[in-house]
C-alpha cells in the first residue's frame, strides 16, 4: 500500500471529495466508465448528489448489465482521478454510486515507481495503431507522465506507435490510458517500450 499511495492519493468521503465531484459535474467533465476488460464507454458528469451519487449522461454505446463495482476515471481542474462505483439506471437517469474514496493521480512527472516482480499488477495492450487486441504484457514502472513495458517483439510496434492500455495496480488502481511509444530497446527475448501518456484521453467507440 505504501508504494501504491506514492502515485495514487486516496480522498475519503469528506467535504474535499464532495467539492471535487461537484466541480466535475459543474464543468460537465468526461467520465470514462469501464464496464469490462474490453469495454470503456464515455459519458458526461451532470450533477453530484451527496453523499454517494454522481448523475451522468447515459454512456455512449451498448453496455452490459453489471452488479459489481466498476472502475471510472475523470479529469477535473487539470487533475486525474479514478474510483470504484456501482451503476444505477432509473430508466430516466443514470447514476454512478461512489461509496468509497476517490483516488488522485499524483502530479510528479519526474517520479517513477519501479514495480517489484511479485507486485500485484496487470497490464493489457488492447489497441495499437487502430488495431484491436487483448494481449497481456508486463508493466515495469510507471509515473504520472508515462510507463515502461516489456513486450514480445511481435508487439513492439515502432517509434510513435499509438497504444491503448488497461492497467490494474494493486487492489484498487484500475484505469485505461492511451499513449505513444517514445523509446524502444531490445532485451533478450523481449523489447522494452517507453510510453508517454497522452494528456487528453480520447475514446474510440465502435
Amino acid at each position: 500500500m505504501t508504494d501504491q499511495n506514492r502515485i495514487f492519493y486516496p480522498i475519503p468521503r469528506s467535504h474535499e471529495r464532495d467539492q471535487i465531484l461537484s466541480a466535475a459535474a459543474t464543468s460537465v467533465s468526461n467520465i470514462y466508465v469501464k464496464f469490462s476488460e474490453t469495454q470503456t464507454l464515455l459519458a458526461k458528469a451532470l450533477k453530484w448528489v451527496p453523499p454517494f451519487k454522481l448523475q451522468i449522461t447515459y454512456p455512449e454505446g451498448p453496455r452490459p448489465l453489471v452488479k459489481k463495482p466498476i472502475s471510472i476515471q475523470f479529469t477535473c481542474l487539470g487533475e486525474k482521478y479514478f474510483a470504484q462505483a456501482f451503476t444505477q439506471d432509473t430508466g430516466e437517469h443514470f447514476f454512478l454510486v461512489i461509496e468509497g474514496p476517490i483516488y488522485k493521480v499524483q502530479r510528479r512527472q519526474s517520479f517513477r515507481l519501479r514495480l517489484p516482480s511479485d507486485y500485484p499488477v496487470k497490464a493489457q495492450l488492447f489497441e495499437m495503431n487502430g488495431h484491436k487486441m487483448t494481449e497481456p504484457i508486463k508493466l515495469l514502472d510507471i509515473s504520472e507522465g508515462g510507463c515502461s513495458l516489456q513486450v514480445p517483439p511481435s508487439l513492439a510496434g515502432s517509434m510513435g506507435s499509438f497504444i491503448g492500455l488497461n492497467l490494474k495496480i494493486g487492489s484498487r488502481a484500475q484505469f485505461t490510458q492511451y499513449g505513444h511509444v517514445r523509446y524502444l530497446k531490445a532485451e533478450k527475448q523481449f523489447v522494452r517500450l517507453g510510453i508517454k501518456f497522452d494528456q487528453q484521453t480520447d475514446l474510440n467507440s465502435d
Side-chain angles (χ1 to χ4, degrees), residues 53 58 88-95:
K53 292 185 179 181
Y58 276 87
Q88 183 182 69
D89 185 352
T90 68
E92 296 182 354
H93 304 293
F94 197 91
F95 293 94

Side-chain angles (χ1 to χ4, degrees), residues 22-92:
S22 179
T26 300
S27 60
V28 197
S29 297
N30 287 339
I31 307 290
Y32 297 96
V33 186
K34 188 179 180 66
F35 285 93
S36 69
E37 289 296 325
T38 59
Q39 187 178 37
T40 301
L41 300 180
L42 173 64
K44 297 280 189 180
L46 296 177
K47 183 179 181 181
W48 172 239
V49 185
F52 301 128
K53 292 185 179 181
L54 179 65
Q55 183 183 349
I56 63 174
T57 59
Y58 276 87
E60 299 176 358
R63 58 190 180 278
L65 179 65
V66 291
K67 296 183 179 180
K68 62 181 182 180
I70 58 177
S71 295
I72 66 168
Q73 64 187 88
F74 63 94
T75 300
C76 180
L77 302 177
E79 303 287 355
K80 295 180 181 179
Y81 300 90
F82 67 90
Q84 296 286 303
F86 292 94
T87 60
Q88 183 182 69
D89 185 352
T90 68
E92 296 182 354

